[in-house]
Amino acid sequence: MTRRSLPATLALAFLYATAAHAQGAPDGQKISAQGANGAPACITCHGAKGEGNPAAGFPQLAGMGGKYLAEQLEAMANGSRVSPVMAATAKALDPAQRLAVAQYYAALPSPLDIDGLAATALRPVPPADTGAWLATRGAWDKNVPACNQCHGPGGIGVGDNFPGLAGQPAAYIAGQLRAWRQGQRPPGPLGLMPAVATRLTDAEIDAVSAYYAGLPKAASLLASQAQPAAGAKQ
Ligand code: HEC
Ligand code: HEC
């Protein structure tokens, strides 16, 4: 067995460190703005601040759990989550790039108006308002808990396992619920969402999706969305 002197070991460690630095961990922000390995820039569709594009049905990514986003990219890359739009993009990135870009989006500030959400959550809900009722009370006659019981007050999301729903485009939310009903999205933790989605009627899916899409977003975001979608031009 060879023994190296301490200075030699240090020099080696230094070399490894510099090599790692030169190679560089993937830069999540750069991937979002420029794409990588032929994958297009994420901002084109998901917005300059990860705020999504409600008109086009592109989901917001900012402030969601990093582990959750990385898992979704993985699922879209391996095809277990069927996404004609995202599959090639997710596949083009390697696992380290997927993780880096997921962590970049997780660290961006959520585009939601927290005070507005809190005020909405306190307002009484008429039972005839199917979407609001499902979100805040559930449908216990068929064992569907209130969505907010898992997705957090106001649907703001909880940690890495329960993604936020507030402010997501209605078409996106409805599309995901239908994907679970059709087995086109992996069951996720404990198979909770297939159990929920298969118990909802089409009308309930549309109502609850519209409810979340209509929850208040930060004023700054509304201003930026009032202009033609920045990404659409690119
Ligand atoms: C051409 C538009 C487009 C581009 C470019 C794009 N996305 Fe998407 N992305 C979508 C759409 C649409 C969905 C919704 C998935 C679906 O409906 O199948 C989505 C979904 C996602 C999701 C899942 C979100 C969730 O809440 O589960 C993640 C994560 C994601 N994209 C990350 C990225 C990243 C990272 C990039 C850049 C490398 C990127 N996207 C580029 C359109 C796009
Ligand atoms: C018992 C807990 C639970 C309840 C109740 C619940 N969800 Fe979920 N939901 C989850 C989990 C866990 C996930 C993450 C699944 C994954 O990782 O793929 C999720 C994910 C979702 C997503 C995907 C979000 C995205 O960014 O792609 C949508 C949409 C959704 N839920 C809608 C609803 C709606 C609407 C209701 C109420 C009718 C509801 N959920 C009730 C646990 C729950």
Side-chain angles (χ1 to χ4, degrees):
M1 193 178 108
T2 51
R3 283 195 64 197
R4 293 197 182 93
S5 66
L6 182 61
T9 312
L10 283 178
L12 250 175
F14 175 76
L15 272 179
Y16 280 132
T18 355
H21 186 75
Q23 242 182 8
D27 178 343
Q29 177 166 21
K30 197 170 164 200
I31 296 170
S32 82
Q34 299 175 10
N37 317 348
C42 323
I43 57 170
T44 317
C45 294
H46 291 284
K49 298 172 188 155
E51 74 275 20
N53 183 332
F58 302 148
Q60 70 194 25
L61 304 176
M64 311 255 296
K67 187 168 150 276
Y68 171 78
L69 292 178
E71 279 169 6
Q72 298 314 307
L73 285 170
E74 176 65 37
M76 293 187 287
N78 69 30
S80 57
R81 176 172 169 180
V82 179
S83 175
V85 184
M86 279 296 301
T89 296
K91 236 179 273 177
L93 303 179
D94 66 37
Q97 289 171 320
R98 289 199 283 263
L99 186 64
V101 76
Q103 285 171 341
Y104 165 71
Y105 278 113
L108 289 183
S110 160
L112 296 167
D113 166 7
I114 305 297
D115 294 337
L117 277 185
T120 311
L122 289 174
R123 240 172 263 147
V125 173
D129 186 341
T130 308
W133 192 267
L134 271 172
T136 59
R137 307 289 166 85
W140 285 103
D141 53 325
K142 46 184 178 183
N143 282 323
V144 175
C147 318
N148 286 357
Q149 277 184 340
C150 291
H151 289 277
I156 191 139
V158 183
D160 265 321
N161 285 328
F162 303 101
L165 303 177
Q168 288 292 28
Y172 175 72
I173 297 177
Q176 298 314 301
L177 291 169
R178 295 201 165 96
W180 274 304
R181 293 210 304 200
Q182 293 156 8
Q184 294 191 331
R185 189 172 157 158
L190 303 174
L192 295 173
M193 276 316 293
V196 168
T198 50
R199 287 172 194 159
L200 299 178
T201 64
D202 279 318
E204 286 171 332
I205 287 182
D206 291 337
V208 76
S209 303
Y211 169 78
Y212 281 115
L215 290 180
K217 295 204 188 176
S220 55
L221 180 72
L222 290 174
S224 73
Q225 283 183 348
Q227 293 150 19
K233 280 181 272 170
Q234 292 166 16

